[in-house]
Amino acid sequence: MDGTRAAFDEAVTLRQAKKLIQCMAHEQSFLLLSAPGMGKSEMVYEAAREVGLPCRSLLGTQIAPEDVSGVPRIIGERSVFCPPRILLPEQPEPFCLFLDELPACAPDVQKAFYSLLLERRLGEHALPPGTWVVAAGNRLQDRALVRAMSSALVNRVTILQLRIDTDEWLVWAQQHGVRVEIRSFIRTIPDALMRPVPADPVPFSTPRAWAQLSRALDMAERSNLLDNETRRALAFGRLSPEDAVVFCALAEESIGAIRPLEDYLRRPDLLPKSDSARWFVLDCIRQHVRDGRAAGLKPAVINRFLKSLSAEHQLILITGMVGTWGALGADKAMLALLRKVTAA
């Protein structure tokens, strides 16, 4: 358990991993590990595309040892192993070899990769100079049909543990046309971008799930099929239930894109008018304050915001967080609320 926590503490973001791959993968083999749905494969393809390398991939769960080492051919009085074309093309030009789901490979397949990962060789055949070798897979704790890797394999690669970075993903999402309501939802509830892998085989929120949901909503909208019922079916088919419920409720309220939370703190008149949408934004503000992300606001702004709310809403925000709000300078608003409540 301590080892898992330590590995996560040393994790890098997808952007950082991409830079390391582009810098070193021509000499050192990498193994990217993360929970499912983080976008490892897309990142590897993008890294290769940016430097002009074609990317060829092998899916670990769908290959046999001979798909790596090749099959023997008799030449004269000797047998020569002929590697498959995907691993050793006729033209000796560098490329990116992507070994997807390497930890899910059968032990014999993992063993077949030993010389490829360490020496960039397939038997007597060397990969073209400058070729990248990058592998990826899920972790044992993610319940993703992962096998234990041998120490010999682990010692032949640089293992990069990956972590999600919300700001980094939001930049990527905007560049790739992810719908604005999804981006604003993730900006408001960062934890919804990547939920823990559930014990049961049910949908759960990941960067891949949100990106796929965005594409599905786009296609439904272009075909005039996007209504509340369709949106709910698509969202619950991709996301964790708690995220699907809130996302659909907000979309059905038609409040538009959620603003940065500090906009509502500075201008309470921007808060949604409908009860469910307002409750949602206020709950997000409560978490925002609890996490210490409103520390840069002046006390006058904090007091004005709280005083603009109903006594019920103020009590919900302040309950259990009097010290936190007090540290922001909300003494005047809390004193006024106390007088109002006790007078009643």
Side-chain angles (χ1 to χ4, degrees):
M1 185 68 174
D2 292 339
T4 300
R5 186 180 297 112
F8 184 78
D9 290 342
E10 301 301 325
V12 297
T13 68
L14 285 170
R15 182 176 180 276
Q16 291 170 329
K18 182 171 72 171
K19 296 299 182 184
L20 289 171
I21 288 170
Q22 291 174 330
C23 174
M24 305 177 191
H26 64 288
E27 288 188 4
Q28 298 191 16
S29 300
F30 284 91
L31 172 57
L32 313 176
L33 294 178
S34 78
M38 272 191 59
K40 300 183 290 295
S41 302
E42 175 64 26
M43 182 271 287
V44 173
Y45 285 113
E46 187 175 278
R49 187 166 56 247
E50 287 179 359
V51 300
L53 285 181
C55 193
R56 301 184 176 93
S57 65
L58 284 176
L59 192 59
T61 53
Q62 298 180 5
I63 59 176
E66 56 268 23
D67 295 323
V68 181
S69 58
V71 294
R73 177 183 177 187
I74 303 300
I75 299 180
E77 297 179 354
R78 294 177 175 83
S79 63
V80 177
F81 278 84
C82 301
R85 183 176 297 166
I86 193 170
L87 296 179
L88 199 67
E90 287 86 350
Q91 297 297 324
E93 297 177 353
F95 63 98
C96 171
L97 175 58
F98 180 42
L99 309 175
D100 202 2
E101 297 187 10
L102 178 63
C105 292
D108 286 347
V109 177
Q110 291 186 13
K111 186 176 180 180
F113 281 126
Y114 284 1
S115 63
L116 181 65
L117 292 169
L118 183 62
E119 301 170 356
R120 306 304 176 89
R121 300 185 66 84
L122 293 167
E124 61 187 88
H125 303 281
L127 293 179
T131 294
W132 295 359
V133 180
V134 182
N138 300 317
R139 306 166 301 182
L140 279 170
Q141 64 265 35
D142 295 319
R143 296 181 289 277
L145 299 178
V146 174
R147 303 171 189 263
M149 292 183 291
S150 71
S151 58
L153 188 148
V154 169
N155 198 241
R156 282 167 163 77
V157 295
T158 298
I159 296 179
L160 295 180
Q161 300 280 350
L162 302 181
R163 62 178 173 85
I164 198 66
D165 182 276
T166 305
D167 292 336
E168 187 178 289
W169 185 84
L170 287 169
V171 171
W172 176 91
Q174 183 171 10
Q175 293 172 344
H176 289 77
V178 173
R179 293 171 70 92
V180 65
E181 67 267 30
I182 289 178
R183 301 201 313 268
S184 61
F185 185 86
I186 297 302
R187 188 177 293 109
T188 307
I189 314 180
D191 289 347
L193 179 58
M194 187 83 197
R195 297 294 186 185
V197 179
D200 298 319
V202 295
F204 63 104
S205 301
T206 65
R208 178 168 60 200
W210 284 108
Q212 291 294 332
L213 175 62
S214 177
R215 296 187 185 101
L217 293 173
D218 284 343
M219 288 187 285
E221 192 169 53
R222 286 196 296 268
S223 300
N224 295 319
L225 297 174
L226 187 56
D227 54 21
N228 290 343
E229 185 176 358
T230 301
R231 182 185 293 106
R232 284 180 170 267
L234 294 173
F236 277 88
R238 281 284 181 186
L239 307 175
S240 300
E242 63 269 29
D243 296 327
V245 166
V246 179
F247 175 75
C248 291
L250 289 173
E252 291 163 15
E253 289 287 347
S254 300
I255 68 169
I258 303 169
R259 291 173 173 266
L261 295 178
E262 288 200 2
D263 287 1
Y264 299 111
L265 287 163
R266 294 179 186 279
R267 290 188 53 191
D269 58 297
L270 295 175
L271 285 168
K273 305 306 179 187
S274 67
D275 287 342
S276 59
R278 178 174 284 236
W279 277 114
F280 167 74
V281 173
L282 290 176
D283 184 61
C284 292
I285 288 174
R286 189 176 191 278
Q287 296 178 49
H288 186 77
V289 171
R290 180 199 63 198
D291 296 340
R293 289 181 280 173
L297 295 176
K298 295 181 179 179
V301 172
I302 297 295
N303 282 283
R304 184 173 65 248
F305 169 75
L306 288 174
K307 289 180 178 179
S308 72
L309 304 176
S310 67
E312 180 185 14
H313 285 163
Q314 287 186 66
L315 284 170
I316 292 295
L317 287 178
I318 292 173
T319 299
M321 292 176 50
V322 172
T324 305
W325 286 100
L328 294 175
D331 297 358
K332 293 181 180 179
M334 290 192 292
L335 180 59
L337 175 62
L338 178 62
R339 288 172 175 165
K340 184 187 298 186
V341 171
T342 54

